[in-house]
Amino acid sequence: MPVDRRRIRGPDESQSPYHFISKESQKCLASGDRRSDDSQRGPLDIRPIFARCGLNSQAKGSAYIEAGNTKIICSVYGPRETERKDETDMKSGRLVADMRFAPFACHKRGAWVQGNEEKDLSLGLLESLRPGVCLHKYPRSQIDVCVMVLESDGPALSHAVTCASLALADAGIEMYDMVLGCTVRHTGTTQLLDPTFSEVQDDQDGVFVENQGSVTLSLMPNMNQVSGLQSDGVMEQESLKAAVQACIEGCYKLYPVIQHTLLKTVRKNAPPSEN
Amino acid sequence: MATVQVSEAEKLYVLHGVRDDLRVDGRGCEDYRHVEVETDVVSNTDGSAKVSLGHTNVLVGVKAEIGKPKPMVPDEGYLEFFVDCSANATPEFEGRGGEGLGIELSNTLVKVFSNKHCLDLKSLCISPGENCWVLYVDVLLLQCDGNLFDAISMAIKAALFNTKIPKVHICEDEDGGKEIELSDDPYDCVRVNVENIPCIVTLCKIGHRHVVDATLQEKACSVASLLISVTHTGMVTCVRKVGGGSLDPESIFEMTETGKRVGKALHAPLMELLQKEESLGSKRQKVGFLG
Amino acid sequence: MSPMKLCVPGERLCSTEDCIPGTGTYLRHGYIFASLAGYVLRKNEGEELPVMSVVKETETQLLPDVGAIVTCKVTSINPRFAKVHILYVGSTPLKDRFRGTIRKEDVRATEKDKVETYKSFRPGDIVLAKVISLGDVQSNYLLTTAENELGVVVAHSEAGAQMVPVSWCEMQCPRTHAKEFRKVARVQPEYLQA
């Protein structure tokens, strides 16, 4: 690659200075009932959510979701002709999910090209959404779901799932059910629903905390089916079970908000004529 | 992913069998296929292992190299995973066909190992902030007949058990510069503590029940599976739903319970086998590939 | 009139004993569920039970289905088939481009072996056709014009003027009075809405 010699290039790898601040100054983990983001919510409350549909006029359907500092936008295109024709199963449609982070979304600047982590999240998103979409109604075609995380504060996958299912519904893609996502952070014996970035940070002081981990779950609320489940960290099976249960409850708390958002979008347009 | 086509009648046959706790190859729902583990199979690696699980065959090589620690954790080494889906396993992997699966597998391995519990990463540090050991874990799929995750995790555990990292000393020269000195004795090496390394158990939901170690045929009958990585104490380090279907919460609880039980039971015989092989040293009988 | 009921995907609407599932719904365990976000419509269509359907404000995305009448534009022809872009399904415009093929054998119902594609279509023609197959992995949608009502509806002559049909196989340019061959459709009033 030609190099512009007039320009002084920085080192290949650079770090944000904020990484080296002592952890104590940032640390404000939930003590008692109050959460780190200084809101009034308790450990088992989700962040207040703002959601809207139909912002992107170019796309078939779109949605925007905001939970605390996490901001996600999603567009749905299609159904359109499949690009790849090597699929043997032409009877049902193909769902394609793509999840990306804006370079400025996280604390550390990301690259524009999709990294391994984003590919993994895209796969997680796809597997969470697929059970909810009536793909057999779209033979020979492809539905594209593009999620862009504008700002990330805490695990983004759960909100991405919710946002994507809103966008799919806005696009008029037939679905068996809405898909809602929720994350819970388990530390020791405490559970924090919908954690922020500082809450999922491992304690870097070298103290190893037993039984710590995060669980992300996607739920189809009417069918009471779990369409996606991912966890990391080290947890006992009992805590895992409790975390899964907490996630399911979190999803049910989320449902009225999402329902309301969708109905509001439908209501904006004139009802069909009676005939 | 390598798949087989299954007719409706075959599906029903498998489904009814699973309902009565009898699978096509005569196993019960919680039985593994015949497992063979062989360590130290590739001489150019620092540690290697080959695991065959029925007709699934994987080879893992571990190479230790000196690298720079990550700035966020200056006193730890790290692991790098790479899974290669070569066209050997199935012609579908030819060209870029296996790329997606390879990324999925290696990303899952990163998730499974991304906690301080599994491996003492501090032991891989040579001098904080400057040098550390990087363990490159390369997984090669030789044959695919379902249940790749379980076979790979067993092979990784065996390969890391077999890994011998050469001993190094840090000596300072006159100018105060640091130098890494490799021990002259090739047998002077450190081992990795693999006690806490988890094994992955994949549970496939078939009908109302779930089975472990599903063959490709059984996998084709199931809409969703759950993979759980369990340590020898029964701690769960990673859970993931894979496949296009969904599961009801009750069956998830049942599956994690089975996964924990099966996974816990997997460790003791594996460690015993590895220790036995180690004690035999050069006397042990070599099986070789696809033997 | 009370305001119309709204629903979101996954909402249970009613039992199959009360209604017949229509568009935008699906059946599960004997109940009708919504699969779209929109207005719930109950219509009596002469059957014993009313039809329950969910309608979104905009027309729901239709895909070309077997038996559907589509309006398409010819993009290229060769001796064996004509390639087209499907523009409308029924009277609903498609947002995305779908490609189709009209094989030589499917141009007309009689004397199939004497069909010459370049005497039936020209690139740029607007054609009414019917979907006969969704095609397989290699091919696109397969279409047919082997009905009197199907075929070319709009065509331009070499001089660029819009031609008028003079028979089922010829069209004439109003400017030059030159005749060109086409598989002309006898347009039915119900298709004219498109």
Side-chain angles (χ1 to χ4, degrees), chain C residues 65-136:
Chain C
D65 203 0
V66 174
I69 304 290
V70 294
T71 309
C72 37
K73 186 174 191 171
V74 180
T75 53
S76 72
I77 53 169
N78 70 28
R80 286 187 295 114
F81 56 83
K83 280 188 181 174
V84 299
H85 279 175
I86 302 172
L87 309 173
Y88 285 83
V89 176
S91 55
T92 320
L94 288 173
K95 263 202 170 176
D96 291 295
R97 191 187 58 155
F98 287 90
R99 282 170 301 184
T101 306
I102 306 174
R103 292 181 303 171
K104 190 179 79 160
E105 301 80 24
D106 298 324
V107 171
R108 63 182 187 222
T110 54
E111 290 187 293
K112 288 183 180 186
D113 51 334
K114 296 213 174 73
V115 176
E116 285 168 286
T117 41
Y118 59 90
K119 280 190 178 173
S120 309
F121 308 114
R122 290 288 167 88
D125 289 359
I126 303 295
V127 174
L128 271 180
K130 191 188 241 171
V131 181
I132 48 172
S133 155
L134 302 186
D136 56 16

Side-chain angles (χ1 to χ4, degrees), chain A residues 162-181:
Chain A
T162 313
C163 188
S165 90
L166 264 178
L168 280 168
D170 182 50
I173 305 290
E174 294 202 36
M175 290 200 286
Y176 292 112
D177 203 344
M178 297 298 291
V179 187
L180 307 172

